[in-house]
Amino acid sequence: MSYDSQREPATAVCCFHLFTARGLIPLVGEHSSPFFSVVIPTRNRAYLARMSAAHVLAQDFGNLELIILQNSDDRDLSTAEFTDVRCRVDSAATVLSMRDNWERALDIVKGQFVMFLSDKDMLLPGALRRIASAIKKANADMLNYRK
């Protein structure tokens, strides 16, 4: 079942894609995994990724992991600079195409649902709580939002 995002107020100032991490069936019963894996792919824009990450970590829905996919010529980001244990930086060994960088996230996420959030975008306060509520209410397998 899909969810019509037009019925709810905007929850982000961006375009994001959210889908189940392991196909179209949510991982029911895997309680140790977070509900959301929020993935921020970035290339040579560490300052933007930090800002986007701060908005994710400030959400009032805490059942998440945040993965910053660093695909940069330099390594400006490290997991050590984030004090929140839900956040980690995964750096590509070499610079990848955008598609390859995004796809590698699917090998490392642990969440039941995966959200790709551009490094230049930010979630509004309460966005993840409202998205999780919409998913549960509609028993949705996938949610796509574009503004």
Side-chain angles (χ1 to χ4, degrees):
M1 168 183 268
S2 64
Y3 175 72
D4 180 9
S5 64
Q6 300 301 317
R7 292 184 288 165
E8 292 288 325
T11 57
V13 292
C14 64
C15 168
F16 63 80
H17 307 284
L18 179 75
F19 52 92
T20 58
R22 311 281 189 261
L24 293 178
I25 307 299
L27 300 175
V28 177
E30 292 192 22
H31 301 291
S32 63
S33 64
F35 190 79
F36 288 118
S37 288
V38 180
V39 179
I40 301 174
T42 189
R43 173 141 192 233
N44 297 332
R45 300 194 302 195
Y47 64 99
L48 290 175
R50 283 183 188 101
M51 203 166 21
S52 184
H55 281 82
V56 171
L57 295 172
Q59 291 291 305
D60 60 358
F61 185 90
N63 190 3
L64 65 95
E65 70 172 342
L66 173 61
I67 301 170
I68 301 172
L69 292 180
Q70 182 167 234
N71 184 32
S72 302
D73 300 320
D74 50 28
R75 300 291 186 251
D76 286 345
L77 293 166
S78 74
T79 299
E81 73 182 84
F82 295 94
T83 58
D84 194 313
V85 297
R86 299 172 298 168
C87 180
R88 72 181 189 271
V89 176
D90 190 275
S91 298
T94 61
V95 175
L96 304 171
S97 70
M98 181 178 163
R99 185 197 72 193
D100 289 342
N101 189 44
W102 284 48
E103 285 183 0
R104 75 187 175 100
L106 299 179
D107 292 329
I108 61 175
V109 297
K110 297 176 185 167
Q112 297 175 37
F113 288 87
V114 179
M115 172 187 285
F116 284 90
L117 183 67
S118 172
D119 61 3
K120 67 180 189 272
D121 296 325
M122 294 167 232
L123 293 178
L124 294 173
L128 290 181
R129 177 181 36 78
R130 290 171 37 202
I131 293 167
S133 176
I135 288 169
K136 291 173 184 177
K137 181 179 178 182
N139 195 25
D141 295 320
M142 175 185 281
L143 184 136
N144 189 29
Y145 172 83
R146 292 180 182 223
K147 184 172 182 179

